[in-house]
Amino acid sequence: MDEPQAPDSGAVSLKDKAAETYRWWDNLATINAEDPFWVGAAKIGVRLLGVIVLLALSPVIILGLIIAFFAVL
């Protein structure tokens, strides 16, 4: 029987880096009870900026997936 192969260390480190970056961003944009009003407003702005960036990147990512799919065929 074939043993399951260990994941590529590059893929694992990329996944870990992405998770760490997401946790950093989420912590940065989380509103805490002790935050003053202006900090809370800034954190809402950071959340909105993140949504705008993700929306802007999504067509590019979808196009890249479509191109990759057709490249494999």
Side-chain angles (χ1 to χ4, degrees):
M1 283 193 184
D2 292 333
E3 291 184 24
Q5 295 181 356
D8 183 22
S9 63
V12 171
S13 64
L14 182 61
K15 182 186 74 153
D16 292 342
K17 180 64 176 169
E20 178 185 328
T21 303
Y22 174 77
R23 281 192 298 271
W24 173 81
W25 183 267
D26 191 47
N27 188 36
L28 175 72
T30 299
I31 299 174
N32 300 315
E34 64 272 359
D35 289 340
F37 174 77
W38 67 272
V39 173
K43 288 183 176 187
I44 290 172
V46 168
R47 286 274 183 193
L48 290 174
L49 177 67
V51 169
I52 290 169
V53 168
L54 289 176
L55 287 175
L57 287 177
S58 64
V60 176
I61 293 169
I62 292 170
L63 181 64
L65 288 172
I66 291 171
I67 292 171
F69 178 75
F70 285 120
V72 171
L73 292 178

